Amino acid sequence: HERGYMFARKISSTPFPFPFAQAIELFTFVFAFSVPFLFSAWLDGAVPVAAFTFVTSWCYLAMNEVSRMLEEPFGGDANDLPLARMQYEFNRRIERSDYADKYGGDYLKRQHSSVRTTS
């Protein structure tokens, strides 16, 4: 379990390189503004050009937003991991296992009586 903790800590403490994130943002908007010109060269009519431009640009902007949300999974947003609840459930599973009987179930009971379980 210590190894898993260290991996989670590594993910949470290693920021995504800021210049790379800015370049992705810039290129996404350049793409979104240049796509209408490309589609107008290949398609006839304003409606198909507008529809394909909207869908294509929206998909790229949505993927960028999802990647920004996944960049920090340990915060307090609605999409973040419920760490307190996960720890509480993990402690409950240990208590019900043979491990708790052998290595101190009383300690775990005292620990998660002090943990709040807000989701």
Side-chain angles (χ1 to χ4, degrees), residues 10-85:
K10 182 178 173 183
I11 289 170
S12 68
S13 64
T14 304
F16 198 70
F18 183 72
F20 190 70
Q22 291 298 310
I24 289 173
E25 188 99 8
L26 173 71
F27 293 143
T28 302
F29 282 107
V30 167
F31 173 80
F33 287 112
S34 64
V35 136
F37 299 108
L38 297 172
F39 280 138
S40 65
W42 290 327
L43 299 171
D44 293 330
V47 173
V49 169
F52 279 102
T53 297
F54 174 76
V55 170
T56 306
S57 299
W58 183 82
C59 288
Y60 274 94
L61 292 169
M63 283 192 301
N64 186 37
E65 190 61 29
V66 167
S67 68
R68 288 180 54 205
M69 293 302 270
L70 292 176
E71 183 179 343
E72 194 173 328
F74 303 116
D77 295 338
N79 291 331
D80 292 337
L81 295 172
L83 294 179
R85 182 71 187 159

Side-chain angles (χ1 to χ4, degrees), residues 4-5 7-13 72-93 112 115-119:
Y5 170 76
F7 282 134
R9 185 169 175 102
K10 182 178 173 183
I11 289 170
S12 68
S13 64
E72 194 173 328
F74 303 116
D77 295 338
N79 291 331
D80 292 337
L81 295 172
L83 294 179
R85 182 71 187 159
M86 290 169 67
Q87 182 65 49
Y88 175 78
E89 290 172 3
F90 179 75
N91 288 349
R92 296 277 298 170
R93 280 189 225 116
H112 73 73
V115 173
R116 292 187 213 165
T117 59
T118 57
S119 318

